[in-house]
Amino acid sequence: MERVLELLRVPCPNAGCSKIVSCSETLAHVNHCPFTQRTCPFSSCDFTCSFKDLYKHSAAKHSIAAPRAAKFGLSFSLSMFKCGTLVCTHLSTYKRIILKEQTTEGEGEIVVVEWFDMPDGRIFYAYCIGPGADKFSYQLKLSLASGDHLSFNSNLQRVREVSNEPPCSRYMLVPSCMLPYRKCGICIKRETH
């Protein structure tokens, strides 16, 4: 019977998904399927949507820039990244930016860059939200008002929940004496095995 079940193929139970998988792969597929309904990963938000709709919801509701952008009628469609390409942004008025991977193969990854003011300076941190098995690395580059540049390389952690708390590891600390900065660049790369 176990061999028969291994051969049996079933459609994904999520509306909108057309994948056909074996019975034994169903749970793994549903965990990574972009059509699985999930609660928004940002704390204190009970909105439920599929991963494919998460970027639009996150950019509109959870980017600190959202109220200012809405006031000026700006779209978040410009907050896109292509793996291996540097994305430059001015961060001085924002505390969080949300980036979506630009792909031709369907849904891309969602990356959040946050910063927190601390007594000794400012912490910068990036992470990937949502399901997925791909691994990424990232490089942050800050251009300081003094003309100096700082850069930081790390692996991009994948999280299912956003805590709005400063991270304990994998962050860049810019000392207070080096602030302010003019712009920030981030380059995200997909790790290959």
Side-chain angles (χ1 to χ4, degrees):
M1 285 301 286
E2 288 177 2
R3 288 184 183 165
V4 170
L5 285 176
E6 285 178 19
L7 296 173
L8 186 62
R9 313 237 343 130
V10 295
C12 173
N14 294 319
C17 183
S18 60
K19 291 264 184 174
I20 307 282
V21 295
S22 69
C23 279
S24 62
E25 296 172 341
T26 302
L27 183 60
H29 169 75
V30 168
N31 283 336
H32 298 290
C33 179
F35 293 93
T36 298
Q37 295 293 302
R38 292 177 169 80
T39 302
C40 175
F42 289 90
S43 61
S44 72
C45 182
D46 59 358
F47 185 78
T48 301
C49 65
S50 64
F51 180 70
K52 69 181 205 66
D53 296 326
L54 183 60
Y55 172 71
K56 187 185 295 182
H57 167 75
S58 299
K61 300 296 181 188
H62 300 294
S63 174
I64 306 287
R68 183 174 179 186
K71 178 180 174 184
F72 294 106
L74 299 176
S75 166
F76 284 92
S77 63
L78 296 178
S79 300
M80 304 290 277
F81 74 91
K82 188 173 181 180
C83 283
T85 303
L86 186 69
V87 176
C88 291
T89 183
H90 294 276
L91 304 176
S92 57
T93 56
Y94 308 141
K95 298 241 182 221
R96 176 187 297 146
I97 58 171
I98 300 172
L99 304 168
K100 184 173 187 305
E101 182 182 15
Q102 184 177 355
T103 67
T104 56
E105 304 152 5
E107 300 305 317
E109 300 290 342
I110 299 172
V111 174
V112 178
V113 182
E114 289 186 307
W115 45 102
F116 301 90
D117 288 324
M118 306 300 281
D120 297 333
R122 187 168 286 164
I123 288 176
F124 290 84
Y125 176 63
Y127 51 89
C128 190
I129 60 175
D134 290 351
K135 296 185 186 298
F136 296 88
S137 63
Y138 72 100
Q139 180 181 45
L140 283 174
K141 290 183 178 183
L142 285 181
S143 298
L144 305 176
S146 66
D148 295 330
H149 300 277
L150 290 175
S151 67
F152 173 76
N153 296 304
S154 182
N155 293 325
L156 199 59
Q157 288 186 300
R158 187 174 293 277
V159 300
R160 292 210 177 238
E161 293 182 19
V162 177
S163 67
N164 296 320
E165 297 291 327
C168 297
S169 63
R170 297 184 182 176
Y171 62 84
M172 177 171 72
L173 173 66
V174 179
S176 299
C177 64
M178 299 186 90
L179 297 172
Y181 49 89
R182 288 193 305 246
K183 63 182 177 179
C184 177
I186 183 167
C187 182
I188 301 163
K189 295 181 181 176
R190 182 175 268 107
E191 297 295 304
T192 55
H193 300 286

